[in-house]
């Protein structure tokens, strides 16, 4: 009876760990920066950023009043530029950085007067981290929302003020008033699937910076792809070290601003599953050995008494 209870407890533990570990694997990075000193403010340290908090944060930057935000600011900008990859998982950032595919974004974050990094954001029930944020921003009074899409991008949002192809964005910015109308507007740049679009991010930020230095930029993804079955993601907690050189990866001062890195030390999902499965198998072996040790064999066998019936 006791062995069954032990096995049941381990089964419950394994199920809980599997759910938690899966959520830690499928996380999306969020990088934000601004040339305005001390632009980003936050009142709490978050292990993860939900789609609801991301939504509230974008609305807050556009002037709406929200309390449950991951990041916010008390300074006004002319434009918030939101770069959206179709899919990007937190641990993939380190791989792209190792291959030199994040050099431009890394330079923008490191050189910014104020920046914010949240390595662990999770998509909402609709499967997207940014879809709700863009739609809610389009419903705000005063703020204009412009959606620039690359060919192959499947992001769509209703009620945006303008839609433009990515290759025409430079000419659009040169003729539009969203960079000089005195109102915080939102420019959403949706990339097609593929590797990180580091060069395009740098080019668009250069075009925006040529018109105004009152901007905030955010780089993230709509969702996180499922990792290959054989892929080990044990380096995902090393993500922030590719952007900052701090020993403890908690805070890093850049210029007049402070970069807040929401990092946490935890067992990666794959390793947790290995440990739990090993513990379950070990408990099964120990329970089997204990049952074997409890077996008692009679020392002698008495012959049946005369007249006793053998029951088969």
């Amino acid at each position: 009876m006791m062995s069954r209870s032990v096995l049941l407890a381990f089964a419950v533990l394994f199920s809980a760990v599997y759910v938690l570990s899966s959520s830690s694997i499928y996380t999306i990075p969020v990088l934000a920066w601004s040339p305005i000193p001390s632009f980003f403010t936050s009142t709490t340290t978050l292990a993860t950023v939900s789609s609801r908090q991301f939504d509230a944060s974008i609305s807050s930057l556009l002037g709406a009043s929200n309390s449950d935000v991951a990041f916010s600011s008390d300074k006004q900008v002319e434009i918030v530029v939101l770069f959206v990859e179709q899919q990007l998982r937190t641990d993939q950032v380190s791989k792209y950085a190792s291959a030199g595919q994040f050099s431009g974004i890394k330079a923008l974050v490191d050189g910014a007067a104020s920046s914010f990094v949240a390595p662990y954001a999770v998509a909402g029930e609709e499967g997207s981290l940014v879809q709700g944020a863009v739609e809610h921003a389009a419903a705000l009074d005063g703020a204009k929302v412009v959606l620039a899409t690359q060919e192959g991008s499947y992001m769509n949002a209703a009620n945006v003020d303008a839609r433009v192809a990515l290759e025409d964005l430079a000419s659009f910015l040169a003729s539009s008033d969203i960079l000089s109308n005195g109102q915080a507007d939102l420019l959403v740049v949706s990339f097609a699937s593929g590797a990180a679009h580091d060069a395009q991010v740098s080019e668009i930020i250069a075009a925006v910076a040529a018109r105004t230095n009152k901007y905030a930029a955010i780089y993230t993804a709509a969702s996180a792809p499922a990792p290959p079955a054989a892929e080990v993601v044990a380096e995902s907690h090393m993500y922030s070290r590719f952007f900052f050189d701090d020993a403890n990866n908690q805070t890093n001062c850049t210029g007049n601003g402070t970069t807040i890195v929401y990092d946490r030390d935890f067992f990666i999902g794959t390793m947790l599953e290995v440990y739990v499965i090993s513990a379950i198998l070990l408990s099964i072996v120990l329970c089997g050995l204990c049952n074997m040790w409890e077996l008692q064999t009679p020392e002698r066998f008495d012959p049946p008494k005369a007249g006793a019936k053998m029951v088969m």
Side-chain angles (χ1 to χ4, degrees), residues 104-310:
I105 298 176
K106 180 180 185 300
L108 289 171
V109 175
D110 285 342
S114 180
S115 56
F116 173 93
V117 176
Y120 309 111
V122 291
E125 295 180 355
E126 69 280 5
S128 175
L129 175 67
V130 302
Q131 186 73 32
V134 176
E135 292 179 352
H136 290 163
L140 294 176
D141 294 332
K144 293 182 179 180
V145 177
V146 177
L147 177 61
T149 56
Q150 189 178 34
E151 185 178 358
S153 169
Y154 54 81
M155 181 175 180
N156 191 17
N159 301 323
V160 297
D161 295 276
R163 300 174 187 270
V164 60
L166 185 59
E167 56 267 24
D168 300 328
L169 181 59
S171 58
F172 175 83
L173 292 177
S175 59
S176 174
D177 66 340
I178 62 171
L179 298 178
S180 58
N181 60 6
Q183 171 66 42
D185 300 315
L186 177 65
L187 171 61
V188 183
V189 181
S190 179
F191 296 114
S193 300
H197 296 80
D198 183 76
Q200 290 92 327
V201 171
S202 299
E203 291 174 2
I204 294 171
I205 289 299
V208 171
R211 294 277 307 277
T212 179
N213 61 354
K214 296 179 64 177
Y215 71 87
I218 303 167
Y219 178 85
T220 186
S223 60
E231 182 176 300
V232 178
V233 293
E235 77 276 17
S236 66
H237 70 290
M238 300 289 289
Y239 163 83
S240 58
R241 297 182 186 178
F242 281 93
F243 289 90
F244 307 103
D245 298 326
D246 297 49
N248 54 10
N249 291 317
Q250 293 301 315
T251 58
N252 180 32
C253 294
T254 55
N256 296 323
T258 300
T259 296
I260 303 175
V261 179
Y262 292 137
D263 204 348
R264 57 177 178 177
D265 295 325
F266 63 99
F267 289 106
I268 301 306
T270 305
M271 297 305 299
L272 269 175
E273 292 176 17
V274 169
Y275 291 140
V276 172
I277 292 175
S278 300
I280 291 175
L281 294 177
L282 181 60
S283 66
I284 293 175
V285 172
L286 292 177
C287 289
L289 292 176
C290 290
N291 289 334
M292 290 177 60
W293 291 333
E294 291 177 358
L295 290 177
Q296 296 181 358
T297 305
E299 295 181 356
R300 61 190 180 87
F301 295 90
D302 297 327
K305 297 181 178 179
K309 295 182 179 180
M310 183 71 68

